[in-house]
Amino acid sequence: MVDVVEVFRPNDELPKVALEAVEMKARLGRPLVFWAQLGLENEEAKHILETNGIRYVMDACMRTVHKVHVRETA
């Protein structure tokens, strides 16, 4: 089961990957999260995701965010 689509692609490829995430959500029948790694951000991809009810994080390192969250809850 997929919960997060973690993206390590160039900014100009994010809209294509966002559309693939929309298709994946339709197949799975449940929400997922689109995560574009540090340095990656694209307004067209954000629009695609927002329009299709997919939560997203852009320009953030998942490992760093996770480490901060773990410290806060420990």
Side-chain angles (χ1 to χ4, degrees):
M1 186 175 303
V2 175
D3 293 318
V4 178
V5 175
E6 189 173 9
V7 184
F8 293 88
R9 303 297 308 151
N11 281 321
D12 62 341
E13 292 184 27
L14 293 183
K16 178 181 180 252
V17 180
L19 289 171
E20 292 172 0
V22 169
E23 292 173 10
M24 186 180 301
K25 179 186 175 192
R27 279 194 319 268
L28 295 172
R30 64 184 199 79
L32 49 90
V33 176
F34 182 98
W35 192 298
Q37 280 296 313
L38 193 60
L40 301 179
E41 194 163 12
N42 182 287
E43 293 303 317
E44 182 182 354
K46 287 179 185 180
H47 177 73
I48 292 167
L49 298 165
E50 289 171 356
T51 302
N52 289 281
I54 296 176
R55 294 180 300 163
Y56 63 85
V57 176
M58 293 200 183
D59 192 23
C61 174
M62 186 180 285
R63 180 173 184 239
T64 302
V65 171
H66 175 72
K67 286 173 83 173
V68 168
H69 178 70
V70 169
R71 271 187 246 140
E72 289 176 355
T73 59

